[in-house]
Amino acid sequence: MPRCPKLVLEIIFHKKLKDVEISVPIVYGNISFWLGKKANEYQSHKWTVYIRGATNEDLGVVIKRAVFQLHSSFNNPTRVIESPPFELSECGWGEFEIAITLFFHSDVCDKPLNLFHHLKLYPEDESGPMSTKKPVVVESYDEIVFPEPSEAFLARVQNQRALIVPRLPAGSVLPPPVPVEDPSKRKRGDTKDHPMSQWFMNFSEADELLQLAAARQQVQAHIAKFRREISLLDGQQQQQVNSVSDQ
């Protein structure tokens, strides 16, 4: 009986790459503007909370949707963003912790990732005058690491600048990349021309971090290779010892 095509697809889809990892540099935080004369007791600031690529590349190749959990005083406090850019804007007066849950495409990871960001509205120097033109910006840099990624994931993102993708050994062949959605219906998801990009913090070390992460992956791959070779030699030596003892 021929094997079910769906089963074959699932086996190929979930085949893992040993001793390989993919890293995704991200930035998450908020920008808030004081409303000035328009401010009142309940709405003193307009703010935007977001997650973006560290170099403003499109994170939609990895993240399927983001869920922002706001304070319970907001209408519909659970906000689901189904496509990039992953952000939402609101007005309010108080600071609070926002839980951000990231869900990934099926070939990336089946477990969500939880992040937490404390919404910041007021400048550190609260005694100074507030400005409607200069916002308060708070951002955090981090990396999401996916160890032993699926071949389908790596094949799909190996040319994406938003990710740190390892070099595969010579002769390695990946399956044809399969898009996670219809490219003709997908809108641009990078934040390079974002209306508030002028206020984004410039992580000048981001490029250096990308290079260091790529070098780290190469070192880890070499270490794994040497471990396999040592294990193979140990096995051969043990076989020789057993042969001598049996004589």
Side-chain angles (χ1 to χ4, degrees):
M1 178 181 293
R3 181 178 289 181
C4 171
K6 181 179 180 181
L7 179 59
V8 174
L9 179 61
E10 289 178 349
I11 292 174
I12 296 175
F13 193 74
H14 295 290
K15 186 177 180 181
K16 301 293 185 179
L17 293 167
K18 299 294 184 180
D19 305 322
V20 172
E21 67 179 30
I22 295 177
S23 298
V24 185
I26 62 169
V27 173
Y28 58 97
N30 78 266
I31 295 178
S32 62
F33 286 88
W34 180 51
L35 295 178
K37 295 180 179 180
K38 297 180 180 179
N40 57 46
E41 182 180 359
Y42 301 104
Q43 293 190 345
S44 59
H45 291 76
K46 181 177 181 179
W47 51 264
T48 300
V49 62
Y50 51 85
I51 175 170
R52 63 180 179 87
T55 53
N56 292 309
E57 301 292 341
D58 187 354
L59 291 180
V61 297
V62 177
I63 300 173
K64 184 177 183 179
R65 67 178 179 275
V67 178
F68 296 85
Q69 187 64 47
L70 307 183
H71 191 272
S72 58
S73 60
F74 284 84
N75 291 328
N76 184 25
T78 303
R79 308 290 177 86
V80 181
I81 309 300
E82 297 284 359
S83 61
F86 299 105
E87 63 181 33
L88 69 87
S89 298
E90 267 289 357
C91 290
W93 58 272
E95 300 180 345
F96 57 91
E97 185 176 69
I98 299 176
I100 308 171
T101 304
L102 304 179
F103 294 86
F104 305 102
H105 292 294
S106 58
D107 64 348
V108 177
C109 181
D110 57 1
K111 295 181 179 179
L113 174 67
N114 295 315
L115 303 172
F116 297 92
H117 172 70
H118 188 82
L119 178 68
K120 187 71 175 175
L121 303 183
Y122 301 94
E124 292 295 334
D125 184 10
E126 297 185 359
S127 61
M130 292 192 295
S131 170
T132 58
K133 295 182 179 180
K134 185 177 180 181
V136 171
V137 183
V138 179
E139 292 189 328
S140 299
Y141 174 94
D142 209 338
E143 289 183 20
I144 308 174
V145 179
F146 298 98
E148 298 188 358
S150 69
E151 284 190 346
F153 177 29
L154 181 56
R156 187 169 57 79
V157 302
Q158 59 181 332
N159 295 320
Q160 296 288 338
R161 296 184 60 188
L163 288 71
I164 303 171
V165 180
R167 295 177 181 176
L168 293 179
S172 299
V173 179
L174 294 174
V178 179
V180 292
E181 55 188 331
D182 186 348
S184 64
K185 297 181 180 179
R186 193 172 188 279
K187 62 182 181 180
R188 180 178 172 182
D190 66 78
T191 51
K192 294 180 179 180
D193 298 324
H194 194 282
M196 288 187 290
S197 61
Q198 62 175 314
W199 304 113
F200 289 163
M201 295 177 66
N202 181 19
F203 290 87
S204 57
E205 73 278 15
D207 289 338
E208 181 179 350
L209 289 171
L210 295 179
Q211 295 175 5
L212 289 174
R216 182 189 66 207
Q217 289 183 348
Q218 293 298 313
V219 171
Q220 290 175 340
H222 285 302
I223 292 174
K225 179 182 177 181
F226 290 143
R227 284 177 176 172
R228 288 195 298 268
E229 292 176 350
I230 292 172
S231 178
L232 180 61
L233 290 174
D234 288 342
Q236 292 174 347
Q237 290 176 353
Q238 186 62 45
Q239 288 179 353
Q240 293 175 355
V241 172
N242 292 339
S243 297
V244 172
S245 62
D246 290 340
Q247 293 178 356

